[in-house]
Structure formats: structure tokens, C-alpha cells
Amino acid sequence: MSAAPSIVWFRDDLRVADHPALHAAVERGEPVVAVYVLDEESPGIRPLGGAARWWLHHSLASLADDLRELGVKLVLRRGPAGRVIRSLVDETGAGAAFWNRRYGGAEREVDTDLKSSLAEAGLEVRSFAGSLLFEPWTIRTGSDTPFSVFTPFWKACLAADEPRHPLPAPSPGDLTGVGGAYGRGGPASDDLDEWALLPTKPDWAGGIRDTWEPGEAAAHARLDEFLEDDLRDYAKGRDRLDRQVTSRLSPRLRWGELSPHQVWHATRERAAGTEGARKFLSEVGWREFAWHILFHFPDLATKSWRSEFDAFPWPRLKPSALTAWERGRTGVPVVDAAMRELWHTGVMHNRARMISASFLIKNLLIDWRRGEEWFWDTLVDADHANNPFGWQWVAGSGADAAPYFRIFNPELQREKFDPDGAYVSRWVPEYGTDDYPEPIVDLKATRDAALAAYEQVKAAR
């Protein structure tokens, strides 16, 4: 065994192509220890929700297979990441540690402390830009402050240097694993099944299994399919609930099975200058914006970005109303369809996310944080930035948010974006029968109550 192998720490970047940290290990030329750490113990680290854990299990299994073909075993460890990586350094005598950057506050603290301690111990330690097109500290306003409005933010991104081209995947022979592909003589690994990431009693993941195939190969197949079949209709059709023209790449980007650089350049190469490409890449830009906001405001999931919204007079929670929303039994068909789509597939059409979130916040007058927590547990693509960013956008408390007084009328939304009723019919087959409940609230009365409550926010400005 080499005296100084390279540790490559995988996080939300479960791929082998366009993986800067893995690429650096190839260039260093020493044997590689590839590791994933399930960290639910470091201070401030948010444990994954149930649907995300399902995806993680299968994406890790796929990554392990891909690394094995390259001659490297994926080592699985559980515990506080800083402690786990330091222990692995001691076990292997590693001379270098490489990883791609994270942008949440708690994650950055872990990484910064670890980088300092490993560097002091004499290791080569480097982190790389692998998850965003533009690093959050590089896109600034003319007065050198972070952007708070999307349009000028995205204009600044488009005026910056072109995002780098994706790095190639290693070829067999480029890497040597410590102990070989099966880790014989190398560091021990946890058994993935023993992490119990998959639901068993009950097994609620049947619909998710039917909908998704995690892994890098499936991610690239979907990107190719989207660019070939759906991009041309994306700009006009992406808001239609009854049409499948969205990219369905959000979980691929969330888990890093695809990098945004791969998506960016594939789109530009296949469809540069088209309206579909322009609109789709601007949606990738919204993903960037959310992560930049999180970088500068780490408490995005728990605190209002606009502090005046701390004065919002949320009434006492009615658990029955929250449960009806979660289960898709509100008596409002498009909301119920959205919530059932979420439960069955682990995702929800973005237009449906806005409609269902608006209903929770502004018709049920339930704190947006309750909805954010439910989505965190049930979305396979829930991440630390986009999930709370989206909820605060709807609530009016976030960056570049919809004004609070913009309250979606779910019936009008249904008529506009599901005009033939195909979306509602698919997910709420009992709609229009005696088995379907009456609405749990009056839409007009609750809209008026929400606007009255908002007056206290206006007074706090």
C-alpha cells in the first residue's frame, strides 16, 4: 500500500464524471480511498427526510458499482464527518484529502475545521467547485453586496466567465483503490443495508420505486431524453400540470448524479439560442440563486429572510387542517392532486408546489415552516437551499419573493394549467363523486383573513 493515498470524500456529488475532487486524485497518482459519510450528528447538520434517504440508498449503490468498475471500493462510514475523516486518515496514512464544496452554514463549518486540522497534520487538502456554476462569493452587485433579486443576479451570471466544461470520467486503469475494488486489506466499510435508509414497516416507497431509477447512468439518460424530446416545448408548456415537459432533473442535481456544468453545456451544445434552452437555463439559474441566498443566509429553513415577517400573526395550528393538506384531503382538487402526486412519486410539479404552498400559507394560515418540513420529508429532491427558498418565496418572506398579497386561487389555477382535468383525474379519481370531501375552508373568506393578517407585517416595516 502506498504511504500516502488520496481520500476522496463524496457528499452530494454521487457521480464519477465531472467530479473535480476525484479528478484531482487521478492527477495525484496515488491509490484512492473513496468514502461517503452519513453524518447526522455534527452540530447543525439536518438529518435527511424519508424520501431523500430512499434516493440516497440507491444512488450510493449505483456509485459503488461505478467505482468498482474503476478499481475502487466505496467506503461507507457513519458519524460526525470531521471525526470520521480524521480516523480514516489515520487508518490509511493518507497524504491528501479532496472534496467538492458544500454551501450550508453547518456544512461549511465542518469542512473548514477539517481542512485546517488536516493541513496542520501535513496533508494536501483541497476543495473544488463541483455543485454550482458560479461560486457564491463571485457574483456580487456593483456595491459589492449579494444580490437579492433574481433578474439582475442572473444577468450578472450570464455576463461572467462561461462555466467551465465538464471533466471526463476516469477510465479503468486511471485509479487504484487501496485494497482494490473490493477493499481487501483496505479500510473497513459499513454495510449499506444496515444503515436502514429504506422504509420497511410500512414500505411506503412503491410509487417512488415505480417512478425513479437513481444513479449516474439513469441521470444522463434522462438529460438526453429531455433535450431530445421535451426542450422544444419547455418554454410554453412547463407550467401545464397535465403535460410532462419538465426536465425531471431536480433529484439528479440534488444528489449530484449530474453536475450543473454538464447540464449547462449539454443544453448549449444541443439547443443554443432557442427559447426552450434560454428558459430552461434560467430555471437552472434559480437553483443557483437559492444556493447563493443560503450561503449568505444560512438560517433559510427556520428564519424569515425578510425580518418584518417575524411579526406575522400565525394563528394557533389546527392539526386536522395540516393533516388534510398532507394527505390530499382538503376538498380542493388541484391541491389534493398535488399532495398525492408528492406522496406517490416523491416529487411534485413546480406549479403544483406553488399552488399547494400558497393554499397552506394563505388559505389555511399555517406557518410556511410546517410545509417546508413536510416537503423535506417527502421530496426526493429536497435540498438545503431550494426547499426553504421556495417556501419563503411563496410566503413573501424570502428573496425576490412573490408579494404576500399575491394569493393563488387554486380553482383558477386548475382551470388554467389543467384545463381538461387530466392531472386532477389521475391523482384524485374520486373527484366529482360522493366520496370526495367538501372544501375544508372557504377560499374567499380565508383570502380576506390572510390579507388582514398581512397588515401587521406592513406595519412592522
Side-chain angles (χ1 to χ4, degrees):
M1 184 173 71
S2 168
S6 301
I7 290 177
V8 178
W9 180 15
F10 287 82
R11 292 101 78 81
D12 297 332
D13 47 12
L14 305 181
R15 62 183 184 271
V16 296
D18 195 34
H19 197 289
L22 185 61
H23 187 77
V26 171
E27 291 188 324
R28 185 167 180 265
E30 299 290 352
V32 169
V33 178
V35 60
Y36 180 89
V37 181
L38 181 61
D39 183 358
E40 299 175 304
E41 300 177 40
S42 294
I45 296 294
R46 188 178 189 181
L48 296 172
R53 291 165 71 86
W54 179 92
W55 193 288
L56 174 62
H57 174 101
H58 293 290
S59 196
L60 285 174
S62 178
L63 175 64
D65 289 342
D66 293 342
L67 287 170
R68 190 177 297 116
E69 291 181 4
L70 297 173
V72 176
K73 177 184 178 180
L74 178 62
V75 175
L76 302 177
R77 296 285 177 92
R78 191 171 196 165
R83 187 181 73 195
V84 169
I85 298 297
R86 290 185 190 96
S87 175
L88 197 57
V89 167
D90 293 340
E91 289 177 43
T92 62
F98 304 130
W99 58 75
N100 297 325
R101 296 187 192 110
R102 302 184 292 183
Y103 301 94
E107 291 80 7
R108 280 162 36 212
E109 288 185 15
V110 170
D111 294 356
T112 299
D113 290 346
L114 181 60
K115 181 179 280 192
S116 296
S117 66
L118 294 182
E120 289 174 3
L123 275 75
E124 177 187 356
V125 190
R126 285 192 285 159
S127 61
F128 302 90
S131 300
L132 295 179
L133 296 170
F134 306 96
E135 295 292 74
W137 51 90
T138 66
I139 304 297
R140 311 279 289 182
T141 68
S143 55
D144 197 32
T145 60
F147 281 96
S148 60
V149 178
F150 173 73
T151 297
F153 165 81
W154 191 232
K155 286 182 178 178
C157 289
L158 295 176
D161 292 339
E162 180 86 356
R164 63 165 177 78
H165 282 271
L167 300 166
S171 299
D174 288 347
L175 294 170
T176 301
V178 174
Y182 293 91
R184 297 184 181 93
S189 173
D190 293 352
D191 186 294
L192 179 58
D193 289 336
E194 293 182 359
W195 280 4
L197 298 173
L198 301 178
T200 55
K201 298 179 181 178
D203 177 4
W204 41 257
I208 299 178
R209 279 194 300 273
D210 292 342
T211 305
W212 298 102
E213 179 188 355
E216 186 172 3
H220 280 279
R222 175 53 196 158
L223 175 59
D224 288 342
E225 180 183 47
F226 170 66
L227 295 178
E228 180 67 26
D229 298 337
D230 300 323
L231 183 62
R232 68 176 65 89
D233 298 322
Y234 182 82
K236 293 183 178 179
R238 68 187 185 89
D239 277 328
R240 284 288 294 267
L241 298 170
D242 55 347
R243 297 179 183 173
Q244 293 294 329
V245 299
T246 56
S247 74
R248 298 181 69 80
L249 294 174
S250 57
R252 312 301 187 176
L253 287 164
R254 186 264 177 264
W255 294 105
E257 297 171 349
L258 286 172
S259 77
H261 302 84
Q262 291 170 319
V263 172
W264 174 273
H265 285 285
T267 304
R268 301 271 284 196
E269 289 164 9
R270 299 270 286 271
T274 65
E275 178 64 12
R278 185 195 67 78
K279 186 59 182 175
F280 173 59
L281 291 179
S282 76
E283 294 302 310
V284 176
W286 275 99
R287 174 184 180 270
E288 293 276 318
F289 188 46
W291 279 104
H292 285 227
I293 293 295
L294 179 72
F295 180 84
H296 298 292
F297 189 75
D299 296 325
L300 195 61
T302 57
K303 294 183 180 179
S304 295
W305 187 83
R306 298 178 185 273
S307 59
E308 63 266 27
F309 272 80
D310 292 339
F312 193 92
W314 300 108
R316 176 175 239 170
L317 176 68
K318 294 181 179 178
S320 61
L322 178 60
T323 299
W325 177 81
E326 292 172 348
R327 302 292 170 83
R329 296 290 295 171
T330 67
V332 179
V334 71
V335 173
D336 292 345
M339 300 307 294
R340 295 187 199 185
E341 179 190 20
L342 169 62
W343 183 255
H344 184 79
T345 68
V347 293
M348 185 192 293
H349 191 288
N350 190 59
R351 170 62 54 172
R353 295 188 196 204
M354 291 189 286
I355 297 169
S356 59
S358 178
F359 182 79
L360 181 79
I361 297 167
K362 299 173 183 179
N363 293 107
L364 299 183
L365 277 181
I366 292 178
D367 192 322
W368 62 265
R369 280 160 279 238
R370 293 281 188 165
E372 194 277 340
E373 290 169 358
W374 182 251
F375 275 23
W376 179 261
D377 193 40
T378 54
L379 282 170
V380 295
D381 63 5
D383 68 30
H384 297 83
N386 288 273
N387 193 48
F389 178 92
W391 277 93
Q392 292 223 44
W393 186 89
V394 174
S397 60
D400 199 13
Y404 185 87
F405 54 79
R406 182 188 180 193
I407 299 176
F408 286 119
N409 182 314
E411 292 302 310
L412 295 179
Q413 292 284 308
R414 176 169 63 92
E415 292 172 8
K416 184 174 182 179
F417 297 112
D418 185 31
D420 298 322
Y423 179 73
V424 167
S425 294
R426 178 181 180 186
W427 297 111
V428 191
E430 76 275 23
Y431 173 59
T433 73
D434 292 340
D435 293 330
Y436 191 63
E438 292 294 318
I440 61 174
V441 293
D442 178 274
L443 295 177
K444 183 180 185 305
T446 51
R447 180 184 187 276
D448 292 344
L451 292 176
Y454 177 59
E455 292 298 316
Q456 293 192 34
V457 175
K458 292 167 63 177
R461 289 178 178 173

